[in-house]
Amino acid sequence: MGRAMTQIPQQLGQLTDLVHAGRLDLAKRQTRELLDTLDPEALDVIARCITILEASPRVALPKLRHYWKTCGDTTSRAIIAACAPTDTPTIPEQRTAPTQSRQRAARDLRTETRPDLRRSPSRTPAQAAALRRAERETNAYQDTRAGVEEGTEPQERPAGYTLDYDRAALTALRGTPCVRCWTERPTADHDRRHDDGLCGECRDRGREGIPVLPEGHTLADAVAARCAFITAHAPAAAHGILRREWTRASTREHRDLIAAWVAAHRDQITPAPAGAVGHAAGHCRACGSYRALRRRRCADCERAGS
């Protein structure tokens, strides 16, 4: 038979006093006896109070007050009041650092510009002096040359100096040409262990090339061998060909080596014909020989046609 509802609040109060006094064994034993003899209505009220206390400990007291107000039974209200905590300790909320989310819009981020807190980057005395010098030059240019037009307007080419569009459309040669047919050679011919100066077609035809150099030869040896071969096999056009080799050289060291060889063997090089000095070498469009050209013809053909 169920225990009287009016005695339940007092018994709950006694259990609370036992817990506070530290007599947990006696409190457990009386709790078992109480639960065995309670009516279903009282068990339901106590179960709801326990659910509120366990699920929402921070707001348990307001929820129990609301439950107390909605409950019309006086005995049930007494049970709720007995289950309500008498002292609710205040637990301070721990503030965690805000985590930036990838989905957070940039406009939600608060930024602040403080020019007074900026620090100028550290510079060496040389860097500081160069910066001051650049500022002075910039200011001087702005004061004296700002707004002044630089250069002149492009003018038309004078008569007799029309642009050769066919020649201007030609791309520069890659590397050095063949010393026999003077055509561009593929990359494989330049990457040979010994560069004989020939293209693949001339090599297959058995044409003579630059002699084989000894193992461990330097760039100066290779340049000297090429210049000597050109001078020996094309004496009439050697001056123009070597000038073209110097112009086509890709590095300053290569140019210096060609100039040094020409200066040391000037007596072996046939001087350029009159009127052809300074002109590029190439194939004459009249006779087809590779010589110094003027108006795309060699000196002999130029004199014969004049």
Side-chain angles (χ1 to χ4, degrees), residues 48-250:
R48 292 190 60 180
C49 292
I50 294 174
T51 302
I52 293 174
L53 291 171
E54 291 181 350
S56 306
R58 294 181 181 273
V59 292
L61 192 58
K63 287 189 175 183
L64 289 176
R65 286 184 184 140
H66 177 72
Y67 183 34
W68 183 88
K69 291 178 181 179
T70 57
C71 188
D73 187 5
T74 306
T75 306
S76 298
R77 287 186 174 184
I79 296 175
I80 296 172
C83 293
T86 56
D87 53 345
T88 306
T90 58
I91 302 176
E93 296 183 1
Q94 297 181 357
R95 300 188 176 217
T96 58
T99 57
Q100 295 182 355
S101 175
R102 294 182 179 180
Q103 300 178 355
R104 188 176 184 182
R107 60 178 177 271
D108 294 337
L109 302 177
R110 298 182 58 186
T111 58
E112 183 179 3
T113 304
R114 296 288 301 275
D116 54 320
L117 298 181
R118 291 177 178 173
R119 294 183 298 177
S120 58
S122 57
R123 299 186 180 92
T124 62
Q127 292 175 343
L131 180 61
R132 291 193 297 269
R133 183 169 59 255
E135 291 178 352
R136 288 196 301 268
E137 293 177 357
T138 303
N139 294 334
Y141 180 85
Q142 292 291 337
D143 296 339
T144 58
R145 299 293 298 172
V148 179
E149 183 179 1
E150 301 287 349
T152 58
E153 292 293 334
Q155 300 178 358
E156 295 183 359
R157 291 179 178 270
Y161 290 89
T162 57
L163 178 63
D164 188 347
Y165 290 97
D166 294 336
R167 187 174 182 180
L170 296 176
T171 58
L173 295 181
R174 295 175 297 176
T176 55
C178 176
V179 294
R180 281 300 187 178
C181 64
W182 305 107
T183 57
E184 184 178 9
R185 298 187 297 163
T187 306
D189 290 331
H190 295 282
D191 295 339
R192 294 170 58 88
R193 185 174 182 181
H194 166 65
D195 186 7
D196 55 4
L198 299 175
C199 63
E201 183 178 356
C202 291
R203 191 178 300 108
D204 294 340
R205 291 185 178 184
R207 294 179 178 177
E208 183 184 358
I210 301 174
V212 178
L213 297 176
E215 292 292 338
H217 65 273
T218 62
L219 176 62
D221 298 334
V223 172
R226 184 177 178 86
C227 293
F229 184 88
I230 292 173
T231 304
H233 291 76
H239 186 277
I241 296 175
L242 292 177
R243 179 182 292 276
R244 192 65 174 175
E245 292 277 324
W246 182 89
T247 305
R248 195 181 292 120
S250 58

Side-chain angles (χ1 to χ4, degrees), residues 14-34:
Q14 294 175 1
L15 292 176
T16 304
D17 295 338
L18 291 175
V19 173
H20 287 304
R23 303 178 64 181
L24 300 180
D25 295 337
L26 181 58
K28 291 178 181 180
R29 187 170 61 253
Q30 292 187 6
T31 302
R32 287 194 296 268
E33 295 177 356
L34 178 63

